[in-house]
Every structure is written in C-alpha cells, then in structure tokens.
Amino acid sequence: MTLQEFTAEDFRQYNYCSRIIYFRYVFRIQPKRTYKMLKGQEYHDEKIRRKTQSKRENRTIHYNKFIAIKDLGLSALFDAIVEERGAYYPIEYKTGKSYPKIPYHHLMQLIVQAIILDSYYNTNVEKGEIRYGSEKRLETPITLKDKLAVLKEHTAMLQIVLNETMPSPTAHEGKCHDCEFWLMCRRA
Ligand code: SF4
C-alpha cells in the first residue's frame, strides 16, 4: 500500500479544521475557490511565482521550489527557501489577515516545511519566517519538539483517511465563513 502523502498546506488546513482533511482525501472533493483564496492566488502569481532565485553576498533565496520526500509522505511547494552560510530556512508569504504572532496553523505549515528541508538538504532547520503582506515579517524558532509534534499530527491525519472517519466540525464557527467546503459540510 502506498503511503498517503500530505502537503505542508494540508497541515495548515488540519490545524484550521481537521474535517477539511476528510473532505480532501476521503471525499476527494475539489470545491470552488473562495474570493479570498483567489485574491491570495493572484498575489502569489504576481509577487512570488514569477521568481526563481535571488543572490546577495552570502545569502541565496530559491523561490517556488517543489520538494517531495516520498519516505516521509510529505511534500511542499515552497514560496521561498533561504540558504545562508550552509544553513536553510523556509519563508512563507501570506495574504489577507495579519497576526501579532504566528498562529498555530501557520506555524505547523512552517514546521513541516522545515522537516522536508532537513531531509532534502541533510541539515537541521532551526527557524522559519512568515511574511504577512509586504510589511510584516515574523520569525520563529523551530525545535526538535516542534518536529515531533508534526509526527503525532501526521498519524492523526492518516487515521482520518484510512478509517474514513469524519471529524467533528471546528469549535470556532467563525472559521466556517471563509471555508471552501462549507456547501458540503454545513457543520452537519
Ligand atoms: S465548514 Fe467549518 S466545520 Fe466544515 S470543514 Fe469548513 S471550517 Fe470545518
């Protein structure tokens, strides 16, 4: 049996609402994209997806790199990977709402990206960065404990898919307003 692959983005979604994983991988639904998602896509296409690489002194930034680590069942399309004096870390660009500190669902996406880079470059990624719009940059340390938390979530996500169990809806009803799966879900 092939290992179910998850993307770093799936972990972000799982931490937004675990039911999304059920719709994505059990129902395999491709819902219509919301207005907010389309705006985000436009921003990425215009500001990031056209770039390939930039270099300055000891720092190289690789843009739009897709990496899949089959043995881990993990993959990610990286907005940017910074390579600086032999160390690597991911940068994720976000549109829409900004936060005073990195929220957990964005943090988990970065940690999964860090694990993928660890394996791909045979390194130990110790931090990540999120940019909200063009103004705000938030950096976070990434520890071994963080990476182990991803393994635990990976198991929980696999169980949803293999057992075909629909999780309860998120406790935060406000999240449903922006959710692309609302029409199939309706918190039923
Ligand atoms: S509509 Fe709400 S409960 Fe349903 S998948 Fe979306 S966020 Fe989760």
Side-chain angles (χ1 to χ4, degrees):
M1 193 173 74
T2 48
L3 180 63
Q4 170 66 54
E5 262 188 44
F6 292 113
T7 65
E9 160 70 8
D10 287 330
F11 282 80
R12 182 185 73 76
Q13 294 277 29
Y14 173 76
N15 282 283
Y16 187 83
C17 173
S18 56
R19 192 175 264 202
I20 290 175
I21 295 302
Y22 178 85
F23 285 124
R24 277 193 168 182
Y25 291 103
V26 179
F27 259 50
R28 301 215 165 253
I29 290 170
Q30 286 281 348
K32 220 172 139 193
R33 313 196 94 199
T34 62
Y35 175 76
K36 197 170 150 189
M37 291 167 80
L38 291 171
K39 290 309 282 179
Q41 181 70 51
E42 264 176 36
Y43 176 90
H44 272 76
D45 289 347
E46 196 179 316
K47 304 274 183 201
I48 302 155
R49 296 282 175 250
R50 290 181 194 161
K51 296 184 184 175
T52 51
Q53 198 180 79
S54 69
K55 268 184 190 231
R56 203 179 56 198
E57 295 172 3
N58 296 318
R59 185 179 158 101
T60 304
I61 304 182
H62 309 273
Y63 293 95
N64 300 307
K65 195 171 170 73
F66 176 78
I67 304 176
I69 308 292
K70 294 267 179 238
D71 292 350
L72 297 177
L74 297 174
S75 66
L77 172 60
F78 289 82
D79 286 342
I81 301 166
V82 179
E83 180 185 355
E84 196 168 24
R85 297 185 177 88
Y88 295 84
Y89 67 92
I91 301 178
E92 180 66 21
Y93 292 81
K94 298 290 185 199
T95 52
K97 188 174 167 186
S98 178
Y99 295 85
K101 69 181 257 236
I102 298 176
Y104 194 70
H105 59 297
H106 289 173
L107 179 63
M108 288 310 277
Q109 184 180 8
L110 270 186
I111 298 167
V112 175
Q113 291 179 351
I115 291 172
I116 291 169
L117 293 181
D118 283 351
S119 183
Y120 189 75
Y121 291 111
N122 192 21
T123 186
N124 179 29
V125 173
E126 294 180 323
K127 68 176 182 179
E129 183 180 312
I130 300 214
R131 297 189 184 176
Y132 293 102
S134 50
E135 300 292 311
K136 192 162 188 177
R137 298 177 178 199
L138 294 177
E139 201 176 284
T140 179
I142 294 175
T143 63
L144 178 61
K145 198 173 157 198
D146 294 327
K147 292 174 185 174
L148 291 174
V150 164
L151 290 182
K152 213 170 147 189
E153 287 200 349
H154 194 198
T155 305
M157 287 160 69
L158 277 176
Q159 277 171 354
I160 292 172
V161 178
L162 295 177
N163 299 332
E164 302 190 358
T165 37
M166 187 195 281
S168 301
T170 172
H172 307 281
E173 286 190 35
K175 288 181 174 178
C176 302
H177 297 154
D178 285 330
C179 179
E180 62 196 307
F181 294 101
W182 169 250
L183 288 176
M184 309 101 207
C185 173
R186 296 177 187 265
R187 303 180 61 80

